[in-house]
């Protein structure tokens, strides 16, 4: 009985662990000896360098302590590889080559491409869709949320700080939740009561998530679980809508393929391997996959809004069609 209690207690303690505090690389003797030597040779203190660092390090606010950690990371990797050992992780992350001061250059590049694609496609959306269209402002709001999200993704992958991490997590969640919000508004045809209920629910979930995130009560795993839950809800809802309307609305294949490809590409988040060429990891490749998916989604948005303009007049808000 006592043994069972202790086992339960240990399992319970493990479940309370929020983040990985160390990895093989940063725990190794090679890394820590290098770190001590580097700091004594190159640093006045944890922040200031004895000699002027490169411009990229200054612009991205690299401290001397962080720069030594980067230098010693690669010396440790070289040691492990030369002795036939597996490539180690450091502080729960794979080693990446630093380019122009950016910690994860591939993720930075693909985040910028996603931002650019949303901007280009939103400009196309504005040219094609009239402001009087019932979904114009909802999709405009979605575009603004996505632009903000990809901006903070770029910042976070450039420099990983607690603040930039929190902004990346919160903005990623807001993108997923806002897509569900807009799709529900479209499916319910913006009926007054449905609009009120959906909007209140959206604001409540978003505010609750943000308050928990900023209070430190949400970690990466829990945040990912929320994103997956909201994402699967969006997929299930829109695929059900597609099932009932694909014969009436021929362009519905766009949102169906968007859902299918999004799920397939999201499987990259489940894969974990050392970065290819020390630049491309699974997460950065997932960011790359979302660039063409953005085009597919905006094509649906534009085509659907054109449909609404053609077949719905000013009495659109009172039409009793729930699934068309």
């Amino acid at each position: 009985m006592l043994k069972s209690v202790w086992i339960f207690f240990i399992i319970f303690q493990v479940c309370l662990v929020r983040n990985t505090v160390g990895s093989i690389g940063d725990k190794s003797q090679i890394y820590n000896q290098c770190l001590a030597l580097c700091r004594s040779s190159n640093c006045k203190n944890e922040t200031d360098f004895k000699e002027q660092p490169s411009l990229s390090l200054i612009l991205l606010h690299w401290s001397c302590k962080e720069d030594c950690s980067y230098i010693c990371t690669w010396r440790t990797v070289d040691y492990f590889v030369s002795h036939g050992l597996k490539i180690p992780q450091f502080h729960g992350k794979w080693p990446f080559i630093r380019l122009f001061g950016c910690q994860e250059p591939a993720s930075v590049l693909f985040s910028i491409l996603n931002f650019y694609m949303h901007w280009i496609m939103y400009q196309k959306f504005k040219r094609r869709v009239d402001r009087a269209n019932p979904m114009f402002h909802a999709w405009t709001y979605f575009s603004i949320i996505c632009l903000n999200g990809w901006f903070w993704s770029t910042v976070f992958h450039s420099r990983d700080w607690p603040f930039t991490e929190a902004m990346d997590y919160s903005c990623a969640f807001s993108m997923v939740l806002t897509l569900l919000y807009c799709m529900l508004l479209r499916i319910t045809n913006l009926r007054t009561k449905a609009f009120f209920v959906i909007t209140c629910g959206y604001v409540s979930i978003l505010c609750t998530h943000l308050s928990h995130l900023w209070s430190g009560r949400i970690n990466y795993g829990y945040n990912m679980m929320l994103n997956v839950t909201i994402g699967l809800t969006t997929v299930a809802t829109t695929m059900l809508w597609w099932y009932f309307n694909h014969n009436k609305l021929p362009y519905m294949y766009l949102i169906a393929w968007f859902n299918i490809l999004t799920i397939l590409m999201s499987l990259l988040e489940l894969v974990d391997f050392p970065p290819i060429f020390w630049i491309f990891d699974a997460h950065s490749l997932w960011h790359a996959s979302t660039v063409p998916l953005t085009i597919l989604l905006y094509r649906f948005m534009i085509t659907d809004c054109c449909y609404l303009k053609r077949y719905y007049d000013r009495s659109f808000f009172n039409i009793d069609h729930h699934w068309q």
Side-chain angles (χ1 to χ4, degrees), residues 187-210:
I187 291 171
T188 57
N189 281 343
L190 291 176
R191 291 167 59 85
T192 304
K193 185 176 181 180
F195 174 80
F196 177 77
V197 172
I198 294 170
T199 301
C200 287
Y202 166 77
V203 173
S204 298
I205 295 173
L206 185 59
C207 290
T208 300
H209 178 270
L210 293 179

PDB file of all heavy atoms in Angstrom, residues 187-210:
ATOM      1  N   ILE A 187     -21.022  30.685 -41.442  1.00  0.00           N
ATOM      2  CA  ILE A 187     -21.932  29.545 -41.495  1.00  0.00           C
ATOM      3  C   ILE A 187     -23.321  29.914 -40.970  1.00  0.00           C
ATOM      4  O   ILE A 187     -24.341  29.476 -41.505  1.00  0.00           O
ATOM      5  CB  ILE A 187     -21.347  28.362 -40.698  1.00  0.00           C
ATOM      6  CG1 ILE A 187     -20.123  27.802 -41.427  1.00  0.00           C
ATOM      7  CG2 ILE A 187     -22.377  27.260 -40.512  1.00  0.00           C
ATOM      8  CD1 ILE A 187     -19.342  26.781 -40.637  1.00  0.00           C
ATOM      9  N   THR A 188     -23.351  30.728 -39.924  1.00  0.00           N
ATOM     10  CA  THR A 188     -24.641  31.127 -39.350  1.00  0.00           C
ATOM     11  C   THR A 188     -25.246  32.332 -40.062  1.00  0.00           C
ATOM     12  O   THR A 188     -26.289  32.841 -39.669  1.00  0.00           O
ATOM     13  CB  THR A 188     -24.486  31.468 -37.857  1.00  0.00           C
ATOM     14  OG1 THR A 188     -23.509  32.503 -37.709  1.00  0.00           O
ATOM     15  CG2 THR A 188     -24.066  30.250 -37.059  1.00  0.00           C
ATOM     16  N   ASN A 189     -24.578  32.790 -41.136  1.00  0.00           N
ATOM     17  CA  ASN A 189     -25.072  33.926 -41.920  1.00  0.00           C
ATOM     18  C   ASN A 189     -25.222  35.204 -41.110  1.00  0.00           C
ATOM     19  O   ASN A 189     -26.084  36.040 -41.400  1.00  0.00           O
ATOM     20  CB  ASN A 189     -26.405  33.594 -42.586  1.00  0.00           C
ATOM     21  CG  ASN A 189     -26.234  32.753 -43.823  1.00  0.00           C
ATOM     22  OD1 ASN A 189     -25.135  32.667 -44.361  1.00  0.00           O
ATOM     23  ND2 ASN A 189     -27.283  32.109 -44.271  1.00  0.00           N
ATOM     24  N   LEU A 190     -24.396  35.361 -40.096  1.00  0.00           N
ATOM     25  CA  LEU A 190     -24.384  36.587 -39.305  1.00  0.00           C
ATOM     26  C   LEU A 190     -25.750  36.956 -38.743  1.00  0.00           C
ATOM     27  O   LEU A 190     -26.092  38.130 -38.624  1.00  0.00           O
ATOM     28  CB  LEU A 190     -23.846  37.762 -40.150  1.00  0.00           C
ATOM     29  CG  LEU A 190     -22.374  37.736 -40.511  1.00  0.00           C
ATOM     30  CD1 LEU A 190     -22.030  38.906 -41.416  1.00  0.00           C
ATOM     31  CD2 LEU A 190     -21.519  37.806 -39.271  1.00  0.00           C
ATOM     32  N   ARG A 191     -26.545  35.967 -38.418  1.00  0.00           N
ATOM     33  CA  ARG A 191     -27.825  36.258 -37.770  1.00  0.00           C
ATOM     34  C   ARG A 191     -27.562  36.982 -36.453  1.00  0.00           C
ATOM     35  O   ARG A 191     -26.595  36.701 -35.759  1.00  0.00           O
ATOM     36  CB  ARG A 191     -28.593  34.961 -37.529  1.00  0.00           C
ATOM     37  CG  ARG A 191     -29.083  34.315 -38.817  1.00  0.00           C
ATOM     38  CD  ARG A 191     -29.562  32.902 -38.572  1.00  0.00           C
ATOM     39  NE  ARG A 191     -30.651  32.876 -37.595  1.00  0.00           N
ATOM     40  CZ  ARG A 191     -31.923  33.064 -37.913  1.00  0.00           C
ATOM     41  NH1 ARG A 191     -32.264  33.323 -39.165  1.00  0.00           N
ATOM     42  NH2 ARG A 191     -32.859  33.022 -36.977  1.00  0.00           N
ATOM     43  N   THR A 192     -28.413  37.926 -36.094  1.00  0.00           N
ATOM     44  CA  THR A 192     -28.166  38.810 -34.958  1.00  0.00           C
ATOM     45  C   THR A 192     -27.882  38.047 -33.672  1.00  0.00           C
ATOM     46  O   THR A 192     -26.904  38.310 -32.973  1.00  0.00           O
ATOM     47  CB  THR A 192     -29.368  39.745 -34.747  1.00  0.00           C
ATOM     48  OG1 THR A 192     -29.628  40.456 -35.955  1.00  0.00           O
ATOM     49  CG2 THR A 192     -29.074  40.737 -33.631  1.00  0.00           C
ATOM     50  N   LYS A 193     -28.712  37.069 -33.340  1.00  0.00           N
ATOM     51  CA  LYS A 193     -28.536  36.314 -32.107  1.00  0.00           C
ATOM     52  C   LYS A 193     -27.259  35.481 -32.162  1.00  0.00           C
ATOM     53  O   LYS A 193     -26.485  35.432 -31.196  1.00  0.00           O
ATOM     54  CB  LYS A 193     -29.746  35.411 -31.866  1.00  0.00           C
ATOM     55  CG  LYS A 193     -29.695  34.666 -30.543  1.00  0.00           C
ATOM     56  CD  LYS A 193     -30.965  33.862 -30.316  1.00  0.00           C
ATOM     57  CE  LYS A 193     -30.918  33.137 -28.977  1.00  0.00           C
ATOM     58  NZ  LYS A 193     -32.166  32.342 -28.746  1.00  0.00           N
ATOM     59  N   ALA A 194     -27.034  34.823 -33.297  1.00  0.00           N
ATOM     60  CA  ALA A 194     -25.829  34.000 -33.449  1.00  0.00           C
ATOM     61  C   ALA A 194     -24.580  34.866 -33.364  1.00  0.00           C
ATOM     62  O   ALA A 194     -23.585  34.485 -32.741  1.00  0.00           O
ATOM     63  CB  ALA A 194     -25.867  33.255 -34.779  1.00  0.00           C
ATOM     64  N   PHE A 195     -24.633  36.035 -33.986  1.00  0.00           N
ATOM     65  CA  PHE A 195     -23.488  36.949 -33.948  1.00  0.00           C
ATOM     66  C   PHE A 195     -23.151  37.335 -32.507  1.00  0.00           C
ATOM     67  O   PHE A 195     -21.985  37.329 -32.102  1.00  0.00           O
ATOM     68  CB  PHE A 195     -23.805  38.209 -34.759  1.00  0.00           C
ATOM     69  CG  PHE A 195     -22.749  39.272 -34.670  1.00  0.00           C
ATOM     70  CD1 PHE A 195     -21.604  39.180 -35.432  1.00  0.00           C
ATOM     71  CD2 PHE A 195     -22.906  40.351 -33.807  1.00  0.00           C
ATOM     72  CE1 PHE A 195     -20.614  40.156 -35.348  1.00  0.00           C
ATOM     73  CE2 PHE A 195     -21.926  41.324 -33.709  1.00  0.00           C
ATOM     74  CZ  PHE A 195     -20.783  41.227 -34.488  1.00  0.00           C
ATOM     75  N   PHE A 196     -24.163  37.631 -31.725  1.00  0.00           N
ATOM     76  CA  PHE A 196     -23.957  38.024 -30.328  1.00  0.00           C
ATOM     77  C   PHE A 196     -23.344  36.877 -29.526  1.00  0.00           C
ATOM     78  O   PHE A 196     -22.364  37.061 -28.792  1.00  0.00           O
ATOM     79  CB  PHE A 196     -25.294  38.457 -29.712  1.00  0.00           C
ATOM     80  CG  PHE A 196     -25.183  38.818 -28.262  1.00  0.00           C
ATOM     81  CD1 PHE A 196     -24.652  40.041 -27.870  1.00  0.00           C
ATOM     82  CD2 PHE A 196     -25.601  37.935 -27.275  1.00  0.00           C
ATOM     83  CE1 PHE A 196     -24.540  40.374 -26.528  1.00  0.00           C
ATOM     84  CE2 PHE A 196     -25.489  38.260 -25.932  1.00  0.00           C
ATOM     85  CZ  PHE A 196     -24.963  39.482 -25.557  1.00  0.00           C
ATOM     86  N   VAL A 197     -23.899  35.685 -29.665  1.00  0.00           N
ATOM     87  CA  VAL A 197     -23.421  34.535 -28.903  1.00  0.00           C
ATOM     88  C   VAL A 197     -21.997  34.168 -29.295  1.00  0.00           C
ATOM     89  O   VAL A 197     -21.130  33.943 -28.440  1.00  0.00           O
ATOM     90  CB  VAL A 197     -24.361  33.329 -29.109  1.00  0.00           C
ATOM     91  CG1 VAL A 197     -23.771  32.073 -28.468  1.00  0.00           C
ATOM     92  CG2 VAL A 197     -25.741  33.614 -28.527  1.00  0.00           C
ATOM     93  N   ILE A 198     -21.741  34.096 -30.618  1.00  0.00           N
ATOM     94  CA  ILE A 198     -20.411  33.710 -31.106  1.00  0.00           C
ATOM     95  C   ILE A 198     -19.362  34.734 -30.693  1.00  0.00           C
ATOM     96  O   ILE A 198     -18.258  34.388 -30.254  1.00  0.00           O
ATOM     97  CB  ILE A 198     -20.428  33.539 -32.635  1.00  0.00           C
ATOM     98  CG1 ILE A 198     -21.310  32.348 -33.018  1.00  0.00           C
ATOM     99  CG2 ILE A 198     -19.012  33.339 -33.169  1.00  0.00           C
ATOM    100  CD1 ILE A 198     -21.578  32.258 -34.502  1.00  0.00           C
ATOM    101  N   THR A 199     -19.708  36.023 -30.807  1.00  0.00           N
ATOM    102  CA  THR A 199     -18.756  37.079 -30.461  1.00  0.00           C
ATOM    103  C   THR A 199     -18.429  37.067 -28.973  1.00  0.00           C
ATOM    104  O   THR A 199     -17.257  37.185 -28.578  1.00  0.00           O
ATOM    105  CB  THR A 199     -19.316  38.453 -30.866  1.00  0.00           C
ATOM    106  OG1 THR A 199     -19.564  38.474 -32.264  1.00  0.00           O
ATOM    107  CG2 THR A 199     -18.333  39.563 -30.516  1.00  0.00           C
ATOM    108  N   CYS A 200     -19.452  36.910 -28.137  1.00  0.00           N
ATOM    109  CA  CYS A 200     -19.212  36.850 -26.687  1.00  0.00           C
ATOM    110  C   CYS A 200     -18.343  35.643 -26.325  1.00  0.00           C
ATOM    111  O   CYS A 200     -17.434  35.748 -25.496  1.00  0.00           O
ATOM    112  CB  CYS A 200     -20.549  36.777 -25.947  1.00  0.00           C
ATOM    113  SG  CYS A 200     -21.459  38.329 -25.952  1.00  0.00           S
ATOM    114  N   GLY A 201     -18.623  34.497 -26.963  1.00  0.00           N
ATOM    115  CA  GLY A 201     -17.818  33.311 -26.712  1.00  0.00           C
ATOM    116  C   GLY A 201     -16.376  33.499 -27.143  1.00  0.00           C
ATOM    117  O   GLY A 201     -15.440  33.116 -26.422  1.00  0.00           O
ATOM    118  N   TYR A 202     -16.189  34.113 -28.304  1.00  0.00           N
ATOM    119  CA  TYR A 202     -14.837  34.362 -28.828  1.00  0.00           C
ATOM    120  C   TYR A 202     -14.048  35.263 -27.893  1.00  0.00           C
ATOM    121  O   TYR A 202     -12.902  34.959 -27.523  1.00  0.00           O
ATOM    122  CB  TYR A 202     -14.941  35.006 -30.214  1.00  0.00           C
ATOM    123  CG  TYR A 202     -13.657  35.601 -30.718  1.00  0.00           C
ATOM    124  CD1 TYR A 202     -12.644  34.793 -31.228  1.00  0.00           C
ATOM    125  CD2 TYR A 202     -13.451  36.974 -30.688  1.00  0.00           C
ATOM    126  CE1 TYR A 202     -11.454  35.339 -31.683  1.00  0.00           C
ATOM    127  CE2 TYR A 202     -12.272  37.530 -31.142  1.00  0.00           C
ATOM    128  CZ  TYR A 202     -11.273  36.714 -31.638  1.00  0.00           C
ATOM    129  OH  TYR A 202     -10.106  37.264 -32.087  1.00  0.00           O
ATOM    130  N   VAL A 203     -14.662  36.370 -27.474  1.00  0.00           N
ATOM    131  CA  VAL A 203     -13.981  37.326 -26.589  1.00  0.00           C
ATOM    132  C   VAL A 203     -13.658  36.672 -25.244  1.00  0.00           C
ATOM    133  O   VAL A 203     -12.559  36.854 -24.701  1.00  0.00           O
ATOM    134  CB  VAL A 203     -14.839  38.587 -26.391  1.00  0.00           C
ATOM    135  CG1 VAL A 203     -14.213  39.494 -25.333  1.00  0.00           C
ATOM    136  CG2 VAL A 203     -14.992  39.344 -27.708  1.00  0.00           C
ATOM    137  N   SER A 204     -14.580  35.884 -24.713  1.00  0.00           N
ATOM    138  CA  SER A 204     -14.369  35.235 -23.416  1.00  0.00           C
ATOM    139  C   SER A 204     -13.200  34.259 -23.466  1.00  0.00           C
ATOM    140  O   SER A 204     -12.332  34.259 -22.579  1.00  0.00           O
ATOM    141  CB  SER A 204     -15.642  34.501 -22.975  1.00  0.00           C
ATOM    142  OG  SER A 204     -16.707  35.407 -22.817  1.00  0.00           O
ATOM    143  N   ILE A 205     -13.174  33.401 -24.500  1.00  0.00           N
ATOM    144  CA  ILE A 205     -12.093  32.413 -24.626  1.00  0.00           C
ATOM    145  C   ILE A 205     -10.747  33.102 -24.807  1.00  0.00           C
ATOM    146  O   ILE A 205      -9.747  32.738 -24.168  1.00  0.00           O
ATOM    147  CB  ILE A 205     -12.366  31.455 -25.797  1.00  0.00           C
ATOM    148  CG1 ILE A 205     -13.616  30.607 -25.518  1.00  0.00           C
ATOM    149  CG2 ILE A 205     -11.164  30.541 -26.034  1.00  0.00           C
ATOM    150  CD1 ILE A 205     -14.050  29.764 -26.699  1.00  0.00           C
ATOM    151  N   LEU A 206     -10.715  34.122 -25.663  1.00  0.00           N
ATOM    152  CA  LEU A 206      -9.464  34.821 -25.939  1.00  0.00           C
ATOM    153  C   LEU A 206      -8.942  35.529 -24.695  1.00  0.00           C
ATOM    154  O   LEU A 206      -7.754  35.421 -24.361  1.00  0.00           O
ATOM    155  CB  LEU A 206      -9.669  35.829 -27.072  1.00  0.00           C
ATOM    156  CG  LEU A 206      -8.412  36.558 -27.567  1.00  0.00           C
ATOM    157  CD1 LEU A 206      -7.375  35.555 -28.073  1.00  0.00           C
ATOM    158  CD2 LEU A 206      -8.760  37.543 -28.667  1.00  0.00           C
ATOM    159  N   CYS A 207      -9.813  36.227 -23.987  1.00  0.00           N
ATOM    160  CA  CYS A 207      -9.388  36.948 -22.785  1.00  0.00           C
ATOM    161  C   CYS A 207      -8.940  35.991 -21.690  1.00  0.00           C
ATOM    162  O   CYS A 207      -7.954  36.253 -20.986  1.00  0.00           O
ATOM    163  CB  CYS A 207     -10.529  37.829 -22.280  1.00  0.00           C
ATOM    164  SG  CYS A 207     -10.884  39.245 -23.344  1.00  0.00           S
ATOM    165  N   THR A 208      -9.648  34.870 -21.530  1.00  0.00           N
ATOM    166  CA  THR A 208      -9.260  33.883 -20.527  1.00  0.00           C
ATOM    167  C   THR A 208      -7.889  33.301 -20.833  1.00  0.00           C
ATOM    168  O   THR A 208      -7.028  33.172 -19.948  1.00  0.00           O
ATOM    169  CB  THR A 208     -10.298  32.743 -20.464  1.00  0.00           C
ATOM    170  OG1 THR A 208     -11.576  33.279 -20.128  1.00  0.00           O
ATOM    171  CG2 THR A 208      -9.898  31.713 -19.415  1.00  0.00           C
ATOM    172  N   HIS A 209      -7.660  32.964 -22.104  1.00  0.00           N
ATOM    173  CA  HIS A 209      -6.359  32.410 -22.511  1.00  0.00           C
ATOM    174  C   HIS A 209      -5.244  33.411 -22.268  1.00  0.00           C
ATOM    175  O   HIS A 209      -4.182  33.062 -21.720  1.00  0.00           O
ATOM    176  CB  HIS A 209      -6.407  32.029 -23.988  1.00  0.00           C
ATOM    177  CG  HIS A 209      -5.112  31.496 -24.504  1.00  0.00           C
ATOM    178  ND1 HIS A 209      -4.137  32.310 -25.044  1.00  0.00           N
ATOM    179  CD2 HIS A 209      -4.602  30.231 -24.546  1.00  0.00           C
ATOM    180  CE1 HIS A 209      -3.107  31.574 -25.407  1.00  0.00           C
ATOM    181  NE2 HIS A 209      -3.362  30.319 -25.124  1.00  0.00           N
ATOM    182  N   LEU A 210      -5.467  34.667 -22.640  1.00  0.00           N
ATOM    183  CA  LEU A 210      -4.425  35.678 -22.478  1.00  0.00           C
ATOM    184  C   LEU A 210      -4.113  35.933 -21.012  1.00  0.00           C
ATOM    185  O   LEU A 210      -2.945  36.071 -20.633  1.00  0.00           O
ATOM    186  CB  LEU A 210      -4.860  36.979 -23.161  1.00  0.00           C
ATOM    187  CG  LEU A 210      -4.981  36.944 -24.687  1.00  0.00           C
ATOM    188  CD1 LEU A 210      -5.429  38.291 -25.217  1.00  0.00           C
ATOM    189  CD2 LEU A 210      -3.640  36.552 -25.323  1.00  0.00           C
TER     190      LEU A 210
END
